[in-house]
């Protein structure tokens, strides 16, 4: 009886392997896109709140921070799970993994920027952050819909010397994220310029 059970188990595993991975291999690409797009939207919302933060309004920003990190954690968990599966799941997860690492670094730089805003009690720089938020939102739409990749506009850096260091780090991670997104796009990629210029004066005119 034990031998029969063992044979049945082996046959069941073989059938699952053949039908699950060889005949109909599962591609998690759609799931990765959906979850990463949601994470980018959460990070964009967090950056938006960070640009408005003051000592008095710091607590109001914390829910956005938690949502951003929680969304990124969910994506990382999905990727780590897929890495243990046979191709194409594992290979696609490996391709997406650098993006989640980069997005986590971006979130960390936003946190640092928010802390600077709070400690220095600076006037919120909503106009200078708004265009960066818009670009992240455009990237999220691209990831979800696979339509057009936004370009990284020139003039990204803030003109405010006291905030430049923190914003430069944010800008670097955003530009790196755009580069990594191009690397995971199959086939020909269409590119258009972002709907919004990233210069602070341009963002202010649209406010």
């Amino acid at each position: 009886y034990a031998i029969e059970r063992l044979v049945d188990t082996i046959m069941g595993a073989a059938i699952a392997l053949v039908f699950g991975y060889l005949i109909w291999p599962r591609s998690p690409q759609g799931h990765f896109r959906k979850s990463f797009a949601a994470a980018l939207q959460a990070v964009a919302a967090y950056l938006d709140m960070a640009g408005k933060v003051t000592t008095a309004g710091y607590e109001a920003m914390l829910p956005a921070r938690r949502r951003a990190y929680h969304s990124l954690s969910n994506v990382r968990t999905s990727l780590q799970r897929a890495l243990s599966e046979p191709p194409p799941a594992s290979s696609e997860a490996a391709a997406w993994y650098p993006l989640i690492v980069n997005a986590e670094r971006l979130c960390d730089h936003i946190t640092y920027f928010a802390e600077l805003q709070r400690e220095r009690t600076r006037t919120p720089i909503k106009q200078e952050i708004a265009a960066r938020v818009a670009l992240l939102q455009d990237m999220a739409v691209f990831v979800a819909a696979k339509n057009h990749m936004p370009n990284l506009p020139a003039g990204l850096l803030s003109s405010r010397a006291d905030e430049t260091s923190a914003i430069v780090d944010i800008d670097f991670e955003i530009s790196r994220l755009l580069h990594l997104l191009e690397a995971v796009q199959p086939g020909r990629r269409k590119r258009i310029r972002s709907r919004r210029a990233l210069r602070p004066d341009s963002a202010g005119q649209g406010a």
Side-chain angles (χ1 to χ4, degrees):
Y1 180 74
I3 295 178
E4 292 177 353
R5 290 286 303 273
L6 178 60
V7 171
D8 290 342
T9 300
I10 294 174
M11 290 180 63
I15 292 172
L17 179 62
V18 170
F19 283 88
Y21 293 108
L22 300 181
I23 297 179
W24 294 302
R26 294 183 301 165
S27 173
Q29 182 76 220
H31 173 70
F32 292 161
R33 282 186 171 277
K34 182 178 179 180
S35 59
F36 191 70
L40 280 182
Q41 289 285 8
V43 172
Y46 178 29
L47 178 58
D48 182 51
M49 292 297 294
K52 303 172 183 176
V53 74
T54 61
T55 302
Y58 183 80
E59 294 297 325
M61 181 201 63
L62 296 181
R65 174 182 295 179
R66 287 192 291 268
R67 283 191 294 270
Y69 278 105
H70 180 69
S71 296
L72 292 172
S73 177
N74 286 342
V75 178
R76 176 180 278 271
T77 299
S78 296
L79 292 176
Q80 289 175 333
R81 186 181 301 116
L83 284 172
S84 64
E85 297 184 9
S90 57
S91 56
E92 290 179 359
W96 281 87
Y97 210 86
L99 280 89
I100 191 61
V101 172
N102 178 262
E104 288 170 342
R105 285 200 304 264
L106 171 60
C107 213
D108 290 341
H109 287 309
I110 295 172
T111 297
Y112 175 65
F113 169 72
E115 295 300 326
L116 285 181
Q117 288 287 97
R118 179 193 187 191
E119 293 171 4
R120 298 179 183 179
T121 62
R122 301 297 189 192
T123 302
I125 54 173
K126 294 180 287 186
Q127 292 182 354
E128 296 182 20
I129 291 299
R132 291 159 175 83
V133 172
L135 180 56
L136 285 172
Q137 291 171 338
D138 286 346
M139 291 164 65
V141 171
F142 166 75
V143 171
K146 298 185 290 185
N147 48 8
H148 296 291
M149 168 72 83
N151 274 346
L152 183 68
L156 195 64
L157 303 184
S158 169
S159 59
R160 292 175 53 146
D162 56 346
E163 305 292 352
T164 296
S165 177
I167 295 181
V168 165
D169 291 336
I170 291 173
D171 291 345
F172 175 81
E173 299 301 342
I174 291 176
S175 62
R176 176 66 176 164
L177 192 56
L178 273 170
H179 175 74
L180 291 172
L181 275 175
E182 288 184 331
V184 297
Q185 304 314 311
R188 300 180 60 184
R189 309 175 190 107
K190 296 181 180 179
R191 299 189 53 150
I192 60 171
R193 292 198 174 276
S194 177
R195 297 192 299 270
R196 311 161 184 91
L198 270 189
R199 294 184 183 278
D201 54 347
S202 298
Q205 293 173 3

